[in-house]
Amino acid sequence: MSPPAFSLRPAIEADYPWLWQLKRDTMRGYVENTWGSWDEVAQEAFFRRNFSPATVNVITTGHHDVGLLELVHRPHEIFLANIQIAPAHQSRGLGAAVVRTVQDEAAACGLPLCLQVLKVNPARRFYERLGFTVTSETLSHWFMEWRA
Ligand SMILES: CC(C)(COP(=O)(O)OP(=O)(O)OC[C@H]1O[C@@H](n2cnc3c(N)ncnc32)[C@H](O)[C@@H]1OP(=O)(O)O)[C@@H](O)C(=O)NCCC(=O)NCCS
């Protein structure tokens, strides 16, 4: 089966409410499982402070916004800061298709692709299937890396 078609477009300020909702829908459970609670006010303040349209892309299929991809380009690596696919669009191969395009970009730049993932998040398996390996850990996170 061919991978799902998608496009990326730079986020704009007007995307903020939907992207905050997306984060809440996709990450709240993992935050609660890691730290015991979800402080709505503190979480939104953190999200607001770090919302940077310059690094955030909205993933679209057809004319629908279905996810978020945030990359940080550093001299020594590309850091996959966030990927979130809306629940109704998960487990259809979209996340893998998006990450593969970022892997192509990292390979073309001759840079590793790095990320961190909460230990309670089953996404570690998703990244391992794409060839990422764990390079280090903290109490809460796995640090993972992929090299061409
Ligand atoms: C992780 C995620 C980006 C994968 O995208 P996707 O389009 O669902 O992934 P694909 O269809 O290409 O691959 C499916 C695999 O993704 C993982 N996955 C699917 N839904 C998931 C979810 N809600 N949370 C974490 N991983 C999930 C599983 O490993 C799944 O494999 P399985 O069906 O064999 O268990 C997406 O599920 C998601 O946005 N999850 C919530 C946010 C998140 O955890 N982001 C990563 C933070 S580091």
Side-chain angles (χ1 to χ4, degrees):
M1 207 168 70
S2 56
F6 69 91
S7 301
L8 298 175
R9 66 166 176 83
I12 56 172
E13 187 59 33
D15 293 314
Y16 178 85
W18 183 77
L19 291 174
W20 163 237
Q21 182 72 44
L22 178 68
K23 167 151 187 194
R24 198 206 273 118
D25 288 350
T26 56
M27 297 305 291
R28 179 180 179 143
Y30 302 133
V31 169
E32 286 173 342
N33 288 344
T34 300
W35 290 288
S37 64
W38 170 268
D39 181 332
E40 181 82 4
V41 173
Q43 284 291 340
E44 185 166 12
F46 179 80
F47 186 77
R48 177 79 261 179
R49 209 167 42 244
N50 292 290
F51 180 64
S52 160
T55 57
V56 171
N57 278 289
V58 175
I59 303 166
T60 63
T61 57
H63 295 296
H64 301 289
D65 295 340
V66 297
L68 165 150
L69 174 69
E70 182 168 17
L71 300 177
V72 181
H73 292 80
R74 298 173 175 154
H76 57 288
E77 67 179 15
I78 298 178
F79 185 67
L80 201 171
N82 283 298
I83 179 168
Q84 290 148 12
I85 306 290
H89 297 270
Q90 290 176 5
S91 292
R92 298 179 186 176
L94 180 59
V98 172
V99 174
R100 278 194 203 100
T101 66
V102 185
Q103 288 174 310
D104 289 346
E105 181 185 343
C109 297
L111 292 173
L113 179 59
C114 301
L115 60 85
Q116 63 185 60
V117 57
L118 285 170
K119 286 182 171 176
V120 298
N121 189 337
R124 173 180 164 170
R125 203 172 59 236
F126 162 78
Y127 293 124
E128 282 174 337
R129 273 206 300 265
L130 288 164
F132 287 77
T133 54
V134 171
T135 53
S136 62
E137 64 182 290
T138 63
L139 272 180
S140 54
H141 287 83
W142 302 113
F143 291 84
M144 303 187 76
E145 180 183 281
W146 176 87
R147 286 174 187 267

